[in-house]
mmCIF file of all heavy atoms in Angstrom:
data_model
loop_
_atom_site.group_PDB
_atom_site.id
_atom_site.type_symbol
_atom_site.label_atom_id
_atom_site.label_comp_id
_atom_site.label_asym_id
_atom_site.label_seq_id
_atom_site.Cartn_x
_atom_site.Cartn_y
_atom_site.Cartn_z
ATOM 1 N N GLY A 183 -24.308 19.595 6.480
ATOM 2 C CA GLY A 183 -25.520 19.110 5.809
ATOM 3 C C GLY A 183 -25.368 18.800 4.321
ATOM 4 O O GLY A 183 -26.320 18.357 3.687
ATOM 5 N N VAL A 184 -24.203 19.025 3.754
ATOM 6 C CA VAL A 184 -23.996 18.652 2.352
ATOM 7 C C VAL A 184 -23.981 17.116 2.295
ATOM 8 O O VAL A 184 -23.241 16.482 3.055
ATOM 9 C CB VAL A 184 -22.659 19.237 1.817
ATOM 10 C CG1 VAL A 184 -22.338 18.688 0.429
ATOM 11 C CG2 VAL A 184 -22.723 20.768 1.802
ATOM 12 N N PRO A 185 -24.810 16.494 1.452
ATOM 13 C CA PRO A 185 -24.856 15.026 1.433
ATOM 14 C C PRO A 185 -23.480 14.425 1.156
ATOM 15 O O PRO A 185 -22.711 14.963 0.364
ATOM 16 C CB PRO A 185 -25.817 14.719 0.277
ATOM 17 C CG PRO A 185 -26.612 15.961 0.086
ATOM 18 C CD PRO A 185 -25.743 17.110 0.498
ATOM 19 N N GLU A 186 -23.218 13.283 1.804
ATOM 20 C CA GLU A 186 -21.870 12.700 1.798
ATOM 21 C C GLU A 186 -21.244 12.517 0.424
ATOM 22 O O GLU A 186 -20.090 12.833 0.209
ATOM 23 C CB GLU A 186 -21.884 11.362 2.532
ATOM 24 C CG GLU A 186 -21.426 11.547 3.946
ATOM 25 C CD GLU A 186 -21.192 10.273 4.684
ATOM 26 O OE1 GLU A 186 -20.985 9.231 4.052
ATOM 27 O OE2 GLU A 186 -21.230 10.357 5.924
ATOM 28 N N ASP A 187 -22.014 12.008 -0.510
ATOM 29 C CA ASP A 187 -21.401 11.689 -1.798
ATOM 30 C C ASP A 187 -21.338 12.884 -2.742
ATOM 31 O O ASP A 187 -20.859 12.778 -3.867
ATOM 32 C CB ASP A 187 -22.174 10.539 -2.472
ATOM 33 C CG ASP A 187 -21.971 9.243 -1.700
ATOM 34 O OD1 ASP A 187 -21.077 9.216 -0.825
ATOM 35 O OD2 ASP A 187 -22.707 8.281 -1.964
ATOM 36 N N VAL A 188 -21.825 14.015 -2.273
ATOM 37 C CA VAL A 188 -21.816 15.216 -3.123
ATOM 38 C C VAL A 188 -20.440 15.877 -3.128
ATOM 39 O O VAL A 188 -20.018 16.471 -4.115
ATOM 40 C CB VAL A 188 -22.923 16.192 -2.640
ATOM 41 C CG1 VAL A 188 -22.728 17.596 -3.179
ATOM 42 C CG2 VAL A 188 -24.283 15.646 -3.043
ATOM 43 N N PHE A 189 -19.730 15.746 -2.021
ATOM 44 C CA PHE A 189 -18.404 16.346 -1.913
ATOM 45 C C PHE A 189 -17.505 15.323 -1.221
ATOM 46 O O PHE A 189 -17.722 14.986 -0.059
ATOM 47 C CB PHE A 189 -18.492 17.646 -1.109
ATOM 48 C CG PHE A 189 -17.195 18.392 -0.956
ATOM 49 C CD1 PHE A 189 -16.148 18.251 -1.871
ATOM 50 C CD2 PHE A 189 -17.020 19.275 0.107
ATOM 51 C CE1 PHE A 189 -14.954 18.943 -1.718
ATOM 52 C CE2 PHE A 189 -15.833 19.985 0.261
ATOM 53 C CZ PHE A 189 -14.795 19.811 -0.654
ATOM 54 N N LEU A 190 -16.522 14.812 -1.972
ATOM 55 C CA LEU A 190 -15.700 13.720 -1.467
ATOM 56 C C LEU A 190 -14.225 14.056 -1.540
ATOM 57 O O LEU A 190 -13.760 14.631 -2.532
ATOM 58 C CB LEU A 190 -15.961 12.459 -2.307
ATOM 59 C CG LEU A 190 -17.337 11.808 -2.129
ATOM 60 C CD1 LEU A 190 -17.707 10.987 -3.363
ATOM 61 C CD2 LEU A 190 -17.341 10.926 -0.882
ATOM 62 N N ASN A 191 -13.524 13.672 -0.498
ATOM 63 C CA ASN A 191 -12.066 13.816 -0.502
ATOM 64 C C ASN A 191 -11.445 12.504 -0.951
ATOM 65 O O ASN A 191 -11.979 11.427 -0.691
ATOM 66 C CB ASN A 191 -11.597 14.149 0.918
ATOM 67 C CG ASN A 191 -10.095 14.257 0.992
ATOM 68 O OD1 ASN A 191 -9.495 15.062 0.287
ATOM 69 N ND2 ASN A 191 -9.472 13.428 1.813
ATOM 70 N N ILE A 192 -10.298 12.613 -1.628
ATOM 71 C CA ILE A 192 -9.641 11.385 -2.073
ATOM 72 C C ILE A 192 -8.128 11.539 -1.901
ATOM 73 O O ILE A 192 -7.583 12.628 -2.131
ATOM 74 C CB ILE A 192 -10.028 11.084 -3.544
ATOM 75 C CG1 ILE A 192 -9.664 9.658 -3.944
ATOM 76 C CG2 ILE A 192 -9.434 12.070 -4.531
ATOM 77 C CD1 ILE A 192 -10.342 9.193 -5.235
ATOM 78 N N PHE A 193 -7.468 10.478 -1.455
ATOM 79 C CA PHE A 193 -6.004 10.473 -1.374
ATOM 80 C C PHE A 193 -5.494 9.639 -2.545
ATOM 81 O O PHE A 193 -5.808 8.446 -2.630
ATOM 82 C CB PHE A 193 -5.534 9.861 -0.050
ATOM 83 C CG PHE A 193 -5.972 10.657 1.152
ATOM 84 C CD1 PHE A 193 -6.934 10.164 2.023
ATOM 85 C CD2 PHE A 193 -5.425 11.908 1.405
ATOM 86 C CE1 PHE A 193 -7.340 10.903 3.128
ATOM 87 C CE2 PHE A 193 -5.826 12.659 2.503
ATOM 88 C CZ PHE A 193 -6.781 12.150 3.368
ATOM 89 N N LEU A 194 -4.718 10.253 -3.403
ATOM 90 C CA LEU A 194 -4.297 9.563 -4.626
ATOM 91 C C LEU A 194 -2.842 9.828 -4.928
ATOM 92 O O LEU A 194 -2.347 10.942 -4.710
ATOM 93 C CB LEU A 194 -5.092 10.099 -5.825
ATOM 94 C CG LEU A 194 -6.540 9.669 -6.031
ATOM 95 C CD1 LEU A 194 -7.073 10.341 -7.287
ATOM 96 C CD2 LEU A 194 -6.673 8.154 -6.113
ATOM 97 N N ASP A 195 -2.169 8.816 -5.513
ATOM 98 C CA ASP A 195 -0.847 9.094 -6.075
ATOM 99 C C ASP A 195 -1.028 9.565 -7.522
ATOM 100 O O ASP A 195 -2.148 9.547 -8.068
ATOM 101 C CB ASP A 195 0.079 7.879 -5.948
ATOM 102 C CG ASP A 195 -0.425 6.672 -6.728
ATOM 103 O OD1 ASP A 195 -1.206 6.855 -7.683
ATOM 104 O OD2 ASP A 195 -0.052 5.536 -6.381
ATOM 105 N N HIS A 196 0.071 9.976 -8.130
ATOM 106 C CA HIS A 196 -0.033 10.572 -9.461
ATOM 107 C C HIS A 196 -0.513 9.567 -10.508
ATOM 108 O O HIS A 196 -1.329 9.897 -11.369
ATOM 109 C CB HIS A 196 1.323 11.156 -9.879
ATOM 110 C CG HIS A 196 1.706 12.362 -9.071
ATOM 111 N ND1 HIS A 196 2.800 13.129 -9.354
ATOM 112 C CD2 HIS A 196 1.138 12.942 -7.991
ATOM 113 C CE1 HIS A 196 2.894 14.119 -8.486
ATOM 114 N NE2 HIS A 196 1.901 14.024 -7.639
ATOM 115 N N ASP A 197 0.019 8.338 -10.434
ATOM 116 C CA ASP A 197 -0.342 7.344 -11.457
ATOM 117 C C ASP A 197 -1.838 7.053 -11.448
ATOM 118 O O ASP A 197 -2.480 6.989 -12.498
ATOM 119 C CB ASP A 197 0.411 6.018 -11.217
ATOM 120 C CG ASP A 197 1.827 6.123 -11.756
ATOM 121 O OD1 ASP A 197 2.136 7.163 -12.387
ATOM 122 O OD2 ASP A 197 2.615 5.186 -11.519
ATOM 123 N N THR A 198 -2.376 6.850 -10.259
ATOM 124 C CA THR A 198 -3.807 6.531 -10.173
ATOM 125 C C THR A 198 -4.638 7.733 -10.620
ATOM 126 O O THR A 198 -5.675 7.574 -11.271
ATOM 127 C CB THR A 198 -4.172 6.090 -8.730
ATOM 128 O OG1 THR A 198 -3.202 5.142 -8.298
ATOM 129 C CG2 THR A 198 -5.539 5.487 -8.658
ATOM 130 N N THR A 199 -4.154 8.937 -10.273
ATOM 131 C CA THR A 199 -4.852 10.142 -10.722
ATOM 132 C C THR A 199 -4.923 10.142 -12.251
ATOM 133 O O THR A 199 -5.991 10.356 -12.846
ATOM 134 C CB THR A 199 -4.091 11.409 -10.250
ATOM 135 O OG1 THR A 199 -3.904 11.334 -8.845
ATOM 136 C CG2 THR A 199 -4.838 12.677 -10.600
ATOM 137 N N SER A 200 -3.790 9.885 -12.887
ATOM 138 C CA SER A 200 -3.746 9.902 -14.354
ATOM 139 C C SER A 200 -4.642 8.820 -14.944
ATOM 140 O O SER A 200 -5.342 9.048 -15.926
ATOM 141 C CB SER A 200 -2.315 9.664 -14.859
ATOM 142 O OG SER A 200 -1.538 10.774 -14.521
ATOM 143 N N LYS A 201 -4.613 7.646 -14.312
ATOM 144 C CA LYS A 201 -5.438 6.542 -14.843
ATOM 145 C C LYS A 201 -6.930 6.889 -14.770
ATOM 146 O O LYS A 201 -7.692 6.612 -15.698
ATOM 147 C CB LYS A 201 -5.175 5.257 -14.041
ATOM 148 C CG LYS A 201 -4.132 4.360 -14.721
ATOM 149 C CD LYS A 201 -3.700 3.222 -13.847
ATOM 150 C CE LYS A 201 -4.629 2.022 -13.870
ATOM 151 N NZ LYS A 201 -4.119 0.954 -12.945
ATOM 152 N N LEU A 202 -7.322 7.482 -13.664
ATOM 153 C CA LEU A 202 -8.740 7.863 -13.521
ATOM 154 C C LEU A 202 -9.132 8.886 -14.584
ATOM 155 O O LEU A 202 -10.197 8.803 -15.195
ATOM 156 C CB LEU A 202 -8.981 8.502 -12.144
ATOM 157 C CG LEU A 202 -9.121 7.599 -10.931
ATOM 158 C CD1 LEU A 202 -9.208 8.456 -9.682
ATOM 159 C CD2 LEU A 202 -10.357 6.704 -11.048
ATOM 160 N N ILE A 203 -8.238 9.856 -14.780
ATOM 161 C CA ILE A 203 -8.534 10.903 -15.767
ATOM 162 C C ILE A 203 -8.591 10.300 -17.164
ATOM 163 O O ILE A 203 -9.506 10.580 -17.949
ATOM 164 C CB ILE A 203 -7.469 12.024 -15.686
ATOM 165 C CG1 ILE A 203 -7.596 12.770 -14.355
ATOM 166 C CG2 ILE A 203 -7.594 12.993 -16.861
ATOM 167 C CD1 ILE A 203 -6.475 13.766 -14.086
ATOM 168 N N ALA A 204 -7.622 9.424 -17.468
ATOM 169 C CA ALA A 204 -7.550 8.816 -18.810
ATOM 170 C C ALA A 204 -8.768 7.945 -19.087
ATOM 171 O O ALA A 204 -9.156 7.757 -20.245
ATOM 172 C CB ALA A 204 -6.270 7.995 -18.939
ATOM 173 N N ALA A 205 -9.388 7.425 -18.006
ATOM 174 C CA ALA A 205 -10.574 6.583 -18.197
ATOM 175 C C ALA A 205 -11.831 7.443 -18.368
ATOM 176 O O ALA A 205 -12.947 6.908 -18.430
ATOM 177 C CB ALA A 205 -10.724 5.651 -16.998
ATOM 178 N N GLY A 206 -11.668 8.745 -18.417
ATOM 179 C CA GLY A 206 -12.826 9.636 -18.616
ATOM 180 C C GLY A 206 -13.738 9.666 -17.397
ATOM 181 O O GLY A 206 -14.954 9.836 -17.526
ATOM 182 N N SER A 207 -13.159 9.525 -16.213
ATOM 183 C CA SER A 207 -13.993 9.429 -15.006
ATOM 184 C C SER A 207 -14.670 10.745 -14.627
ATOM 185 O O SER A 207 -15.636 10.748 -13.879
ATOM 186 C CB SER A 207 -13.130 8.995 -13.813
ATOM 187 O OG SER A 207 -12.360 7.878 -14.139
ATOM 188 N N PHE A 208 -14.115 11.859 -15.112
ATOM 189 C CA PHE A 208 -14.618 13.160 -14.667
ATOM 190 C C PHE A 208 -15.191 13.952 -15.845
ATOM 191 O O PHE A 208 -14.825 13.740 -16.992
ATOM 192 C CB PHE A 208 -13.478 13.956 -14.009
ATOM 193 C CG PHE A 208 -12.815 13.202 -12.902
ATOM 194 C CD1 PHE A 208 -11.573 12.597 -13.084
ATOM 195 C CD2 PHE A 208 -13.445 13.041 -11.674
ATOM 196 C CE1 PHE A 208 -10.965 11.869 -12.075
ATOM 197 C CE2 PHE A 208 -12.849 12.308 -10.650
ATOM 198 C CZ PHE A 208 -11.602 11.726 -10.850
ATOM 199 N N ASN A 209 -16.067 14.890 -15.514
ATOM 200 C CA ASN A 209 -16.653 15.718 -16.569
ATOM 201 C C ASN A 209 -15.962 17.065 -16.681
ATOM 202 O O ASN A 209 -16.096 17.769 -17.674
ATOM 203 C CB ASN A 209 -18.139 15.927 -16.298
ATOM 204 C CG ASN A 209 -18.836 14.597 -16.179
ATOM 205 O OD1 ASN A 209 -19.074 14.103 -15.069
ATOM 206 N ND2 ASN A 209 -19.106 13.975 -17.304
ATOM 207 N N PHE A 210 -15.252 17.423 -15.638
ATOM 208 C CA PHE A 210 -14.453 18.652 -15.682
ATOM 209 C C PHE A 210 -13.356 18.507 -14.627
ATOM 210 O O PHE A 210 -13.571 17.916 -13.572
ATOM 211 C CB PHE A 210 -15.301 19.888 -15.386
ATOM 212 C CG PHE A 210 -14.549 21.180 -15.588
ATOM 213 C CD1 PHE A 210 -14.410 21.737 -16.855
ATOM 214 C CD2 PHE A 210 -13.946 21.833 -14.504
ATOM 215 C CE1 PHE A 210 -13.685 22.913 -17.054
ATOM 216 C CE2 PHE A 210 -13.217 23.010 -14.701
ATOM 217 C CZ PHE A 210 -13.090 23.546 -15.975
ATOM 218 N N ILE A 211 -12.170 19.044 -14.970
ATOM 219 C CA ILE A 211 -11.048 18.986 -14.026
ATOM 220 C C ILE A 211 -10.524 20.392 -13.825
ATOM 221 O O ILE A 211 -10.295 21.117 -14.801
ATOM 222 C CB ILE A 211 -9.903 18.112 -14.595
ATOM 223 C CG1 ILE A 211 -10.389 16.688 -14.895
ATOM 224 C CG2 ILE A 211 -8.715 18.076 -13.630
ATOM 225 C CD1 ILE A 211 -9.453 15.888 -15.782
ATOM 226 N N ASN A 212 -10.353 20.766 -12.577
ATOM 227 C CA ASN A 212 -9.627 22.009 -12.316
ATOM 228 C C ASN A 212 -8.323 21.645 -11.628
ATOM 229 O O ASN A 212 -8.326 21.061 -10.545
ATOM 230 C CB ASN A 212 -10.422 22.973 -11.437
ATOM 231 C CG ASN A 212 -9.633 24.251 -11.240
ATOM 232 O OD1 ASN A 212 -8.795 24.340 -10.357
ATOM 233 N ND2 ASN A 212 -9.846 25.223 -12.103
ATOM 234 N N PHE A 213 -7.221 21.991 -12.287
ATOM 235 C CA PHE A 213 -5.905 21.711 -11.731
ATOM 236 C C PHE A 213 -5.226 23.028 -11.395
ATOM 237 O O PHE A 213 -5.058 23.888 -12.263
ATOM 238 C CB PHE A 213 -5.052 20.934 -12.747
ATOM 239 C CG PHE A 213 -3.640 20.694 -12.269
ATOM 240 C CD1 PHE A 213 -3.327 19.564 -11.535
ATOM 241 C CD2 PHE A 213 -2.634 21.615 -12.536
ATOM 242 C CE1 PHE A 213 -2.026 19.361 -11.068
ATOM 243 C CE2 PHE A 213 -1.338 21.417 -12.072
ATOM 244 C CZ PHE A 213 -1.035 20.286 -11.341
ATOM 245 N N THR A 214 -4.824 23.196 -10.154
ATOM 246 C CA THR A 214 -4.024 24.356 -9.763
ATOM 247 C C THR A 214 -2.699 23.831 -9.253
ATOM 248 O O THR A 214 -2.660 23.047 -8.303
ATOM 249 C CB THR A 214 -4.724 25.169 -8.649
ATOM 250 O OG1 THR A 214 -6.049 25.461 -9.075
ATOM 251 C CG2 THR A 214 -4.003 26.473 -8.387
ATOM 252 N N GLY A 215 -1.618 24.253 -9.895
ATOM 253 C CA GLY A 215 -0.311 23.769 -9.472
ATOM 254 C C GLY A 215 0.761 24.145 -10.475
ATOM 255 O O GLY A 215 0.663 25.164 -11.165
ATOM 256 N N SER A 216 1.766 23.290 -10.548
ATOM 257 C CA SER A 216 2.933 23.607 -11.376
ATOM 258 C C SER A 216 2.658 23.366 -12.859
ATOM 259 O O SER A 216 1.722 22.651 -13.228
ATOM 260 C CB SER A 216 4.094 22.715 -10.940
ATOM 261 O OG SER A 216 3.733 21.362 -11.140
ATOM 262 N N VAL A 217 3.502 23.951 -13.681
ATOM 263 C CA VAL A 217 3.374 23.767 -15.125
ATOM 264 C C VAL A 217 3.551 22.282 -15.477
ATOM 265 O O VAL A 217 2.782 21.719 -16.264
ATOM 266 C CB VAL A 217 4.420 24.636 -15.864
ATOM 267 C CG1 VAL A 217 4.440 24.327 -17.352
ATOM 268 C CG2 VAL A 217 4.134 26.113 -15.626
ATOM 269 N N GLU A 218 4.535 21.646 -14.862
ATOM 270 C CA GLU A 218 4.771 20.225 -15.152
ATOM 271 C C GLU A 218 3.552 19.381 -14.783
ATOM 272 O O GLU A 218 3.147 18.487 -15.525
ATOM 273 C CB GLU A 218 6.018 19.719 -14.398
ATOM 274 C CG GLU A 218 7.267 19.692 -15.233
ATOM 275 C CD GLU A 218 7.026 19.460 -16.734
ATOM 276 O OE1 GLU A 218 6.563 18.360 -17.079
ATOM 277 O OE2 GLU A 218 7.273 20.364 -17.558
ATOM 278 N N GLY A 219 2.991 19.673 -13.613
ATOM 279 C CA GLY A 219 1.785 18.958 -13.184
ATOM 280 C C GLY A 219 0.661 19.177 -14.187
ATOM 281 O O GLY A 219 -0.038 18.239 -14.575
ATOM 282 N N GLY A 220 0.488 20.411 -14.629
ATOM 283 C CA GLY A 220 -0.559 20.742 -15.605
ATOM 284 C C GLY A 220 -0.385 19.955 -16.899
ATOM 285 O O GLY A 220 -1.351 19.459 -17.478
ATOM 286 N N ARG A 221 0.878 19.848 -17.314
ATOM 287 C CA ARG A 221 1.143 19.081 -18.550
ATOM 288 C C ARG A 221 0.721 17.622 -18.371
ATOM 289 O O ARG A 221 0.124 17.026 -19.264
ATOM 290 C CB ARG A 221 2.643 19.113 -18.879
ATOM 291 C CG ARG A 221 3.078 20.413 -19.484
ATOM 292 C CD ARG A 221 4.333 20.256 -20.355
ATOM 293 N NE ARG A 221 4.625 21.544 -20.941
ATOM 294 C CZ ARG A 221 5.495 22.425 -20.418
ATOM 295 N NH1 ARG A 221 6.180 22.119 -19.337
ATOM 296 N NH2 ARG A 221 5.671 23.593 -20.999
ATOM 297 N N SER A 222 1.054 17.042 -17.209
ATOM 298 C CA SER A 222 0.692 15.632 -16.973
ATOM 299 C C SER A 222 -0.824 15.443 -17.019
ATOM 300 O O SER A 222 -1.313 14.449 -17.548
ATOM 301 C CB SER A 222 1.152 15.158 -15.598
ATOM 302 O OG SER A 222 2.488 15.404 -15.421
ATOM 303 N N ILE A 223 -1.527 16.404 -16.439
ATOM 304 C CA ILE A 223 -2.994 16.270 -16.400
ATOM 305 C C ILE A 223 -3.545 16.375 -17.818
ATOM 306 O O ILE A 223 -4.423 15.596 -18.222
ATOM 307 C CB ILE A 223 -3.608 17.368 -15.484
ATOM 308 C CG1 ILE A 223 -3.080 17.240 -14.055
ATOM 309 C CG2 ILE A 223 -5.137 17.342 -15.527
ATOM 310 C CD1 ILE A 223 -3.223 15.891 -13.400
#
Side-chain angles (χ1 to χ4, degrees):
V184 172
E186 263 189 22
D187 291 348
V188 163
F189 182 25
L190 290 156
N191 178 58
I192 194 165
F193 297 110
L194 284 180
D195 63 23
H196 291 187
D197 280 354
T198 313
T199 306
S200 292
K201 264 171 83 181
L202 281 174
I203 292 172
S207 311
F208 305 103
N209 304 98
F210 187 82
I211 302 165
N212 182 275
F213 176 89
T214 308
S216 61
V217 172
E218 262 330 294
R221 283 205 177 95
S222 307
I223 300 307

